[in-house]
Amino acid sequence: GDTVHYCTDEQERETYRLAIETDGRIRLASQSAGTYLTTGPNGWIFVLRDGLLYAHEKRTVPPRFHHSTFFAGECVEVAGLLV
């Protein structure tokens, strides 16, 4: 059906965590320095919770990927769009 994907555990969520370098460039925390995030013309959705930033392309085809995906519908401090 038309469902929204939810991260089910910390290990899955960690694949979407971002790291911000001292020069302001952003990369996926799981990637080595020098591999920086490119969001493309549509940007990426993000959430901030407990001082950690998570992001991914918004996916509108099943399984959809929305702000609620990262914490399985639980509260976050901030949600938005990186461009």
Side-chain angles (χ1 to χ4, degrees), residues 2 15 17 20 41 48 54 61-62 73:
D2 190 22
T15 64
R17 189 169 62 84
I20 302 173
L48 177 72
Y54 302 85
V61 295

Side-chain angles (χ1 to χ4, degrees), residues 2-79:
D2 190 22
T3 60
V4 174
H5 175 74
Y6 281 165
C7 293
T8 56
D9 59 37
E10 185 64 33
Q11 183 177 359
E12 180 183 8
R13 186 177 303 116
E14 182 66 18
T15 64
Y16 305 112
R17 189 169 62 84
L18 300 183
I20 302 173
E21 302 291 335
T22 56
D23 62 5
R25 291 186 287 182
I26 301 171
R27 64 178 172 83
L28 287 171
S30 61
Q31 294 180 338
S32 59
T35 307
Y36 299 107
L37 185 67
T38 303
T39 61
N42 297 322
W44 280 25
I45 58 171
F46 77 88
V47 299
L48 177 72
R49 182 169 165 171
D50 300 327
L52 299 175
L53 192 61
Y54 302 85
H56 190 272
E57 276 185 281
K58 183 171 183 170
R59 188 171 56 219
T60 57
V61 295
R64 296 180 303 163
F65 202 102
H66 290 186
H67 294 96
S68 60
T69 294
F70 300 101
F71 286 92
E74 295 180 11
C75 293
V76 298
E77 293 148 353
V78 177

